[in-house]
Amino acid sequence: MQYISIPTLGNSTNFGNFQVIRNGPPGGTSNGSRGVVGGGFQYSSGTYRDEIEYVTIATPGNAQSFGNLTTIRSAGAAAGNETRAVFACGHGTNGHGDFSNVIDYITVATTGNAQAFGNTTAGKTYIDGCASSTRAFYLGGYITGYVRVTAIEHVTIATTGNATTFGNLNDANTSAQVGACSNGTRAVGFGGSAPTNNIQYFDMTTAGDALLFGEMSITSANVGAIANITVFALLGNIVSFRKSLRPSARGCNNPHAPTTLGPLRR
């Protein structure tokens, strides 16, 4: 794990280590003080994972055990608010042909296993998530056969139930492996599976399709996105702890292109 201080340009710094090696992407989110990740894939053992781990964001150190997802899977998404983290989709169990539509959730301030929440409209993998204070959104992804889908789905975080369609991403050719963050009102998506340098956005308060926001200086897929109230940052092919996934992009109200913070440590 690595971290940056968002207001200050510079390279990332080592934060600590997971208990479980995860080469394939887990889903990650936070409640503002505690960051959680769940799932992933471990290349050394060839196994998909269901472990959930957490860190205290303000204090560098190794992750601690939280519990387990309801199913093993990798390349799913997580989104949440100050109370809950909601995990969705991914692939696992039977490998890349087994795309999950499972949604499950945890209460971030406690520890324990995830509980059943509902289902997305289809089994998907390589999606990303962001949230307002009340709703979690899941963007794009692949369905069976690695067909890209543009759907944006959402759930109400405080309740349980199935996801419903909110709108569609801007470009069907780049709608998987999008990096997402938000400020609670506007969601912003970066990159995608072509790969692409497109940035797109949508209003989280009103159902509808995403619109073009601007362009990144590089083309990328499977990026992570984080922000404080004035600056957002792209972190390459990693999971990012967004502060509730909500304060991310408050400085992104006007279309513009990002600048470089600095390289990640390897």
Side-chain angles (χ1 to χ4, degrees), residues 10-258:
N11 297 341
S12 63
T13 303
N14 287 332
F15 187 96
N17 296 304
F18 292 117
Q19 292 189 355
V20 175
I21 295 173
R22 307 165 194 262
N23 311 100
T29 185
S30 87
N31 66 354
S33 58
R34 175 179 281 189
V36 294
V37 298
F41 180 75
Q42 188 177 82
Y43 286 113
S44 61
S45 63
T47 56
Y48 292 91
R49 315 300 305 191
D50 64 358
E51 294 91 344
I52 306 169
E53 300 183 40
Y54 74 94
V55 297
T56 300
I57 295 174
T59 307
N62 294 336
Q64 303 297 313
S65 177
F66 188 100
N68 299 88
L69 298 172
T70 60
T71 63
I72 60 174
R73 57 194 193 265
S74 178
N81 58 15
E82 287 86 352
T83 304
R84 280 183 173 182
V86 187
F87 297 84
C89 299
H91 62 269
T93 307
N94 296 317
H96 282 268
D98 180 22
F99 292 0
S100 175
N101 68 348
V102 168
I103 309 173
D104 45 16
Y105 75 95
I106 57 173
T107 300
V108 181
T110 64
T111 58
N113 293 335
Q115 304 297 312
F117 188 100
N119 299 101
T120 55
T121 59
K124 303 177 189 179
T125 192
Y126 288 105
I127 67 171
D128 204 1
C130 59
S132 68
S133 60
T134 58
R135 292 193 287 184
F137 296 80
Y138 301 104
L139 283 63
Y142 297 105
I143 59 173
T144 300
Y146 280 91
V147 177
R148 299 182 184 96
V149 291
T150 60
I152 304 168
E153 301 187 39
H154 68 104
V155 297
T156 300
I157 297 171
T159 63
T160 57
N162 294 336
T164 56
T165 300
F166 183 88
N168 291 281
L169 294 173
N170 182 257
D171 186 354
N173 293 320
T174 60
S175 59
Q177 298 174 286
V178 174
C181 60
S182 83
N183 65 355
T185 302
R186 173 175 283 188
V188 184
F190 303 90
S193 53
T196 180
N197 64 348
N198 283 347
I199 308 171
Q200 53 192 305
Y201 73 97
F202 60 90
D203 184 344
M204 304 172 81
T205 63
T206 306
D209 296 339
L211 301 173
L212 185 64
F213 185 97
E215 294 182 344
M216 299 185 294
S217 59
I218 60 173
T219 58
S220 187
N222 209 20
V223 299
I226 61 172
N228 63 11
I229 62 174
T230 57
V231 178
F232 66 80
L234 308 183
L235 300 184
N237 185 14
I238 67 171
V239 170
S240 56
F241 293 134
R242 310 151 178 90
K243 187 175 181 180
S244 306
L245 288 172
R246 296 186 301 102
S248 304
R250 283 186 184 157
C252 309
N253 291 328
N254 298 312
H256 202 276

